[in-house]
Amino acid sequence: MLKRINTPSIVASDHLSVVRRAIPSDLDIEITKVIPRLNEGGLFVKYSRRPDKDDGDIESAVREHLQEHPMRPWFNPLSRVDVGLVLGKPWIEDMYRSPSQRLKVEFLPSSSGLPPVEMTQEALYSLFRRYGKLKDIERQPSTSPITPRFAYVEFSRAKVAVLAKCCVHGLTILEKDGGGKHGTILKITYERRFKGAWIMDWLFNHPRIVIPALAALIAAITVIIFDPIRTFFVKMKIKSWLNAEGTARGVWQWIRKQVNRANILSFSRQPSETNLLSAVWEDRKDDIVQLRTWLTENSGTFIVVQGPQGSGKRELVLDQALRGRKYKLVVDCKPIQEARGDARTISVAAAQVGYWPVFSWMNSISSFFDMVAQSMIGTKAGFSETLDAQLGKIWQNTAFALKQVALENHNKDKDSQLTDEQYLDAHPEERPVVVIENFSQRTGDKSLVYDKVAEWAATLTTANIAHVIFLTTDVSSRSKSLSRALPNQVFRTISLGDCSLEVGKRFLLRYLEREEASRSKLEEWLGNLEGCIAAVGGRLTDLEFMAHRIKTGETPSRALDQIIDDSASEILKIYIFDADRSSRDWTREQAWYLIRELADADDGFVPYNRIMLSDLFRENLEGKLQSLEEAELITIITTNGRPSGVKPGRPVYHSAFRRLVGDGVLRSRLDLAILWQLIGIENKNVKKYEDELQLVGALNLGKPPPQLEPRLRWVLQKLSKSQVKIDQYERESAELGKFLLDYHNPTSTN
């Protein structure tokens, strides 16, 4: 191998061959001895020459030869062999002394009894600079009592320090070179710094290595120490050990059970809320059974329960379908969505799954350190993590905890010989259930949060770690984040709507039968109860609100009026007179137009094409209606995948719309605002047509050519139609303005 790599440009391990290659063949000297210094990485070469040759000329010739024919070690091709003439008397020793770029130069007398002379910095520089670049020359303080006197000479590289030490050690400095009258002998040794400050100096002088290493160390400590703690707390959350509400409910149920057994109290005349809602659950029995059936299947369970707010999605899933389910985890996306800032988002997301401890405040400090590191080393050190990465850690740790919970009975089961994946696939009843509430990706929401939740849910289902149930009011969410997470899987969907009028009637009757004060008036109220239920609709929240008002002693008619009044006030505040108009994508005129059209429709249904042809919705029709649907003012009805009509967002809104339209002053004000907006639209059209006519007139064509006549007729017809509309809108505006002026007259009637 040595012979194979023994080429003129590569130095091998044969010392003699190195010497022969370094010295020119025509130099006429004889090599007498080669002394290798392996610990210093060099060779001492002894030679004999003719008396007429000079040692300095020999050194110059060898140096020039090495410059023309450089020799590089095979283990370090960036370095090359150098040469120096030995001026002193080198000390050949085999002690374990490692070379260093810092030399200690001691000044000794040429003979005993004579005082040594300490060389100046200039003299030391002249002596040592020939061997390489010097970093510093540090003389011994004049007040130091240490003898012999010494100085430190530090080179830029250890290689040149070795060359200088081997060549100068034992050299006698004469008087003309600064060595004093009797001369001074130099004793040179390697000096290494073993001071406490050396570590700090190295840390601060090598930030490119230290800062990333420190970041990696912190990450390793976090994984080793905190991740098991976080997994433990997530498991406690899944098992409801930390859920005070669930624990209190379990204790209360046990107390009630013991009391009923002892016949101390009787609850026969006071049915519970569950019995009160039994009419609703009987109507949705098929959905409950279907959910429970899906949770017993072996394949990945990815369920979407969709329905408007107040339709009872949460109660149906948690209180009915998952009743008796041992392990479940509920994640509410709404507080995560409403969190301000990355730190708050991380903290809220961690709280949803019991991920603790979480140092969300460290993200700001880590970002500051990253900024400092970037200014120092040019790149980020990795102290801070993006919101995406930190959310990914939270969901990953939660998935690990869910898997541990699902495998708790693995070793106890008769199928203990199965692998974890086989066991989870064979026992779907052991998998926890993850319920994700308020999953509704709307305009302006944090899409990153929903995307990470969808990806995490897809991982849970594909790996058979848990069953996942999404509760959403947004139909489009299934075609966005969920579709991207599981593009090749069909979602199992349950759509919940409003209850039928018959179910709503049974709900109220059971509630009235529950109250002793209401039972005496039940026959009196039966006459108008059906009409009240028809006006309120089948939304559970509205039915419960009406039932609670009846409980306070109000009649159904009075309760209905109060619900309609509250809904009307809510509509005015949110959709009409909202002060912050920059946060919404529609105008109050567009919202009022839909309210007026829906109120005038007997069945509360307006065809989609009628809205599409309105001048108020000429621009971005679909975006405006979608925003109003997300704000829950309307509900878009689809037929065969296309929008066919619009209905009120809640059934009770139809009655509220009619009450608002019945207010003559309010209707006149808002109709007048619509007319002003329509007049502005038509004035813009007229201006556009007039500009086109003015452009044609500026051509000075005299009689228009036949090619322009169809266009001019079209422009004139459009101009005439716009002016007719403006005249009509002006007349209607004048009538509405006269009504508003006369309204304050006591003799006028509404």
Side-chain angles (χ1 to χ4, degrees), residues 517-533:
S518 301
R519 286 199 301 269
S520 61
K521 301 180 181 180
L522 185 58
E523 295 182 359
E524 178 184 348
W525 290 344
L526 285 178
N528 61 355
L529 190 59
E530 293 186 2
C532 295
I533 295 174

Side-chain angles (χ1 to χ4, degrees), residues 498-507 530 532-538 543:
D498 297 324
C499 298
S500 62
L501 297 181
E502 181 62 27
V503 174
K505 181 179 178 181
R506 282 189 291 168
F507 171 82
E530 293 186 2
C532 295
I533 295 174
V536 171
L543 289 172

Side-chain angles (χ1 to χ4, degrees), residues 342-413:
D342 291 352
R344 181 60 181 167
T345 301
I346 295 167
S347 178
V348 174
Q352 289 294 315
V353 296
Y355 184 88
W356 187 87
V358 57
F359 308 108
S360 57
W361 53 272
M362 284 293 294
N363 194 46
S364 301
I365 300 177
S366 301
S367 300
F368 172 76
F369 283 130
D370 261 347
M371 182 178 64
V372 174
Q374 188 171 11
S375 64
M376 292 176 60
I377 65 178
T379 58
K380 291 185 177 181
F383 282 106
S384 64
E385 295 180 332
T386 61
L387 177 63
D388 186 359
Q390 297 210 29
L391 288 177
K393 281 187 176 181
I394 294 174
W395 304 134
Q396 183 180 3
N397 195 289
T398 306
F400 182 70
L402 287 166
K403 186 174 182 179
Q404 287 187 350
V405 171
L407 294 173
E408 281 188 347
N409 296 325
H410 183 194
N411 296 329
K412 304 175 184 178
D413 195 86

Side-chain angles (χ1 to χ4, degrees), residues 32 62 99 107 116 137 222 241 343 379 461 522 532 601 619 712:
T32 60
V62 175
F107 308 105
I137 297 177
T222 302
W241 291 351
T379 58
T461 55
L522 185 58
C532 295
E619 297 180 359
L712 290 175

Side-chain angles (χ1 to χ4, degrees), residues 60 209 296 320 507 520 639 689 711:
S60 300
I209 300 175
T296 59
Q320 299 299 316
F507 171 82
S520 61
T639 303
Y689 302 143
R711 180 65 181 179

Side-chain angles (χ1 to χ4, degrees), residues 519-693:
R519 286 199 301 269
S520 61
K521 301 180 181 180
L522 185 58
E523 295 182 359
E524 178 184 348
W525 290 344
L526 285 178
N528 61 355
L529 190 59
E530 293 186 2
C532 295
I533 295 174
V536 171
R539 189 66 55 89
L540 284 180
T541 52
D542 295 333
L543 289 172
E544 288 181 350
F545 183 64
M546 185 175 182
H548 285 301
R549 296 200 69 88
I550 294 175
K551 177 182 177 181
T552 60
E554 294 183 357
T555 63
S557 300
R558 177 58 184 166
L560 175 62
D561 289 339
Q562 188 62 42
I563 293 174
I564 295 175
D565 287 342
D566 293 344
S567 300
S569 300
E570 179 184 350
I571 293 168
L572 288 177
K573 179 181 178 181
I574 297 176
Y575 308 104
I576 304 299
F577 298 135
D578 186 6
D580 186 12
R581 300 184 181 181
S582 60
S583 61
R584 63 189 191 189
D585 298 331
W586 70 87
T587 64
R588 68 174 184 176
E589 289 79 13
Q590 292 169 339
W592 177 252
Y593 173 82
L594 292 174
I595 291 172
R596 188 181 63 187
E597 294 297 319
L598 290 169
D600 294 340
D602 294 334
D603 55 352
F605 179 86
V606 177
Y608 193 85
N609 296 334
R610 185 193 301 178
I611 303 173
M612 182 179 65
L613 297 176
S614 173
D615 292 334
L616 294 174
F617 291 92
R618 287 292 178 89
E619 297 180 359
N620 194 17
L621 169 66
E622 295 181 356
K624 303 291 185 183
L625 293 182
Q626 184 178 359
S627 298
L628 287 167
E629 184 183 26
E630 291 172 355
E632 300 181 0
L633 177 67
I634 61 172
T635 299
I636 299 176
I637 307 301
T638 58
T639 303
N640 297 328
R642 63 171 179 82
S644 60
V646 171
K647 295 184 68 175
R650 290 164 52 186
V652 75
Y653 275 5
H654 188 226
S655 301
F657 291 166
R658 289 189 170 184
R659 180 156 298 183
L660 291 174
V661 172
D663 187 345
V665 176
L666 178 65
R667 178 165 185 168
S668 298
R669 284 181 56 189
L670 296 177
D671 285 351
L672 187 61
I674 290 178
L675 290 174
W676 287 345
Q677 187 172 0
L678 293 175
I679 290 173
I681 294 174
E682 295 303 328
N683 281 329
K684 290 182 181 179
N685 293 335
V686 169
K687 182 66 170 57
K688 180 177 63 175
Y689 302 143
E690 288 176 346
D691 290 343
E692 186 169 351
L693 291 175

Side-chain angles (χ1 to χ4, degrees), residues 135-190:
K135 290 181 63 177
D136 189 23
I137 297 177
E138 181 182 353
R139 297 180 62 189
Q140 183 182 6
S142 59
T143 58
S144 176
I146 300 176
T147 57
R149 306 291 292 178
F150 63 90
Y152 291 113
V153 178
E154 187 173 2
F155 288 86
S156 60
R157 293 186 299 164
K159 171 186 173 182
V160 293
V162 170
L163 186 62
K165 186 256 184 186
C166 293
C167 294
V168 180
H169 179 82
L171 175 65
T172 301
I173 305 298
L174 303 179
E175 182 179 5
K176 64 184 179 72
D177 296 326
K181 182 177 180 180
H182 302 284
T184 299
I185 300 176
L186 302 182
K187 177 185 176 183
I188 303 176
T189 55
Y190 298 115

